[in-house]
């Protein structure tokens, strides 16, 4: 299998953390891709018409894409139980919440990188950060017991989302506002799978 990846992407990081946690990292060749919505020349558009990463080329079928789809496929491939039936809806909702944080944080970056300076909207950027803060508040209020339970994809997604906030938006200092979540992340970030996938770029 081949995975189109960029080491700065939190969505790609989710997939790579799963690969490490489930012992599948050596089964996948990592292919570098770079781009954004207005510069897609080096993105895998031949395999993913949306031109997004991660995209996974399988040995026995067409490419699959969207990090949640890829993670479900890789989880089922080795019966890893990162989507446990006993708490499947909680796990999926937490993963979706974390993905929403990543998306909002990434859109903030795109606003600066993709739009001409005279067309950028500080209000729009602040609205994206409002989404992030609401999601972090929901996690700290409702999900701490889940984060402290057995490892699942919800935890991995939250860990990658928080790592991306530190990577791209450290000046906003989310950890000061959400100390319980920050304490959890400090421990989670020490997992070998997280240490092996620290974002760069």
């Amino acid at each position: 299998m081949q995975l189109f990846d960029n080491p700065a992407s939190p969505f790609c990081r989710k997939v790579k953390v799963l690969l490490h946690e489930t012992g599948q990292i050596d089964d996948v060749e990592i292919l570098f891709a770079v781009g954004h919505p207005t510069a897609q020349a080096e993105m895998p558009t031949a395999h993913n018409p949306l031109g997004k990463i991660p995209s996974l080329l399988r040995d026995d079928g067409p490419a699959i894409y969207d990090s949640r789809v890829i993670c479900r496929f890789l989880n089922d491939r080795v019966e890893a139980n990162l989507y446990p039936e006993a708490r499947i809806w909680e796990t999926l909702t937490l993963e979706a919440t974390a993905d929403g944080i990543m998306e909002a944080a990434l859109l903030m970056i795109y606003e600066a990188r993709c739009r001409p300076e005279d067309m950028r909207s500080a209000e729009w950027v602040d609205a994206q950060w409002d989404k992030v803060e609401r999601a972090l508040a929901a996690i700290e209020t409702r999900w701490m017991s889940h984060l402290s339970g057995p490892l699942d994809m919800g935890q991995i997604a939250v860990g990658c989302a928080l790592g991306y906030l530190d990577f791209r938006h450290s000046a906003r200092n989310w950890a000061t506002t959400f100390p319980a979540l920050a304490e959890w992340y400090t421990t989670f970030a020490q997992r070998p799978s997280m240490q092996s996938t620290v974002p760069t770029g």
Side-chain angles (χ1 to χ4, degrees):
M1 296 183 292
Q2 296 175 309
L3 178 71
F4 285 97
D5 164 76
N6 186 292
S9 166
F11 295 102
C12 293
R13 189 183 189 189
K14 268 178 58 183
V15 175
K16 291 183 291 185
V17 170
L18 180 151
L19 289 169
H20 281 283
E21 292 285 353
T22 60
Q24 298 181 79
I25 191 66
D26 292 335
D27 297 341
V28 177
E29 178 186 2
I30 305 296
L31 304 175
F32 180 74
V34 62
H36 53 71
T38 60
Q40 297 195 8
E42 296 183 53
M43 299 299 271
T45 53
H47 305 288
N48 177 354
L50 303 176
K52 291 184 175 183
I53 54 175
S55 296
L56 181 71
L57 305 186
R58 298 179 293 168
D59 298 330
D60 56 354
I64 58 176
Y65 41 86
D66 186 278
S67 64
R68 276 178 273 186
V69 175
I70 295 171
C71 287
R72 286 297 293 266
F73 169 78
L74 292 171
N75 174 81
D76 290 358
R77 181 174 181 258
V78 295
E79 299 180 353
N81 201 37
L82 291 175
Y83 292 94
E85 279 301 318
R87 57 182 192 281
I88 187 62
W89 303 117
E90 291 79 7
T91 299
L92 289 173
T93 301
L94 187 56
E95 183 182 11
T97 302
D99 281 5
I101 292 171
M102 297 179 202
E103 181 179 8
L106 186 59
L107 289 174
M108 293 168 69
I109 298 298
Y110 284 165
E111 183 72 4
R113 292 187 177 179
C114 301
R115 285 186 182 274
E117 187 173 357
D118 62 346
M119 296 179 64
R120 296 172 192 166
S121 169
E123 289 183 358
W124 192 87
V125 169
D126 288 343
Q128 298 307 313
W129 187 254
D130 287 344
K131 293 180 188 178
V132 170
E133 288 198 318
R134 288 196 302 269
L136 295 177
I139 294 171
E140 187 162 273
T141 301
R142 306 171 193 168
W143 295 99
M144 294 308 300
S145 62
H146 188 109
L147 292 179
S148 299
L151 181 69
D152 65 15
M153 234 12 252
Q155 294 178 30
I156 291 172
V158 170
C160 292
L162 298 179
Y164 190 70
L165 296 183
D166 281 350
F167 177 52
R168 292 297 195 205
H169 301 291
S170 59
R172 292 183 180 259
N173 200 16
W174 67 269
T176 299
T177 308
F178 305 100
L181 190 55
E183 183 179 1
W184 173 84
Y185 176 67
T186 297
T187 299
F188 191 83
Q190 298 307 309
R191 297 182 73 91
S193 62
M194 293 289 287
Q195 290 290 306
S196 298
T197 58
V198 172
T200 61

